[in-house]
Amino acid sequence: MKNKIRIALDGPSGSGKSTVAKELSKKLNILYLDTGAMYRAVALKTLNLGKDTFDEKAVSEFIDNIDLQIRYISGSQHTFLDGDDVSEKIREPRISMQASNVSSLKCVRLKMVDMQRKIAADMSCVLDGRDIGSFVLPDADYKFYITAGVDVRAKRRMKELEEKGYKVDFEKLKKEIEQRDYNDKNRDFAPLRCADDAIIIDTSDMTVTEVLNKILSYIK
Ligand code: DC
């Protein structure tokens, strides 16, 4: 393996990319950056200010000076907003759609992409998101597009939320995932897109270990 390796994992919500990315980073002993957490933190900040997550003017007033930090504690990523660890709060179901909304704003993407490129600049890493292979790291060494059918993704998300104690309605959750897919794929700037040179993996009928092994089989 060469000195520095950068891996992009993109795909829609619930495709299993973050679980796989975490495992992959452990296996290769490289940094893992969950970029979705950053958009979630921006959504939380917007809501804390009592603003609408589509309000570009309101968001543009704070985004360049946002106090958003990614720190690694005992090997896992923690997201700090205005000095507070918001890692749990940004996972609340109400934040998911708001993060998708705020991520459509160009001023937000430019700031987040700049932060992500700085984090990825001088170390081996795996980044998961929507536009990593197509926009953030177009020259990544390996690019994977992780996908799965919408029912499978909704079931996975439901299990994850139920394990955290949330009560969820399957049909409502599925509709929300479809809406997020639509938003993420159809925004004007750096939408969710499979990079031309990405390897596509449909995880609908695969276990995490199978996906991980498949990815590892490509990495030299
Ligand atoms: O991966 P996630 O569900 O935590 O991401 C939340 C939202 O953030 C998602 O709906 C779209 C947005 N996002 C993005 O636009 N670009 C990324 N690289 C990561 C996430």
Side-chain angles (χ1 to χ4, degrees), residues 13 17 34-37 39-40 91 96 99-100 103 109 116 128-132 157 180 184 187:
S13 312
K17 59 188 186 311
D34 164 10
T35 63
Y39 292 95
R40 286 172 179 270
R91 297 288 148 206
S96 301
S100 178
S103 78
R109 302 207 72 80
Q116 290 155 18
D128 91 34
R130 304 292 189 287
D131 59 339
I132 308 301
R157 191 45 58 90
R180 276 218 282 158
D184 296 348
R187 63 177 175 239

Side-chain angles (χ1 to χ4, degrees), residues 2-22:
K2 63 176 187 169
N3 288 344
K4 204 172 82 182
I5 177 177
R6 295 192 302 173
I7 305 171
L9 282 193
D10 289 299
S13 312
S15 57
K17 59 188 186 311
S18 49
T19 310
V20 170
K22 242 180 250 164

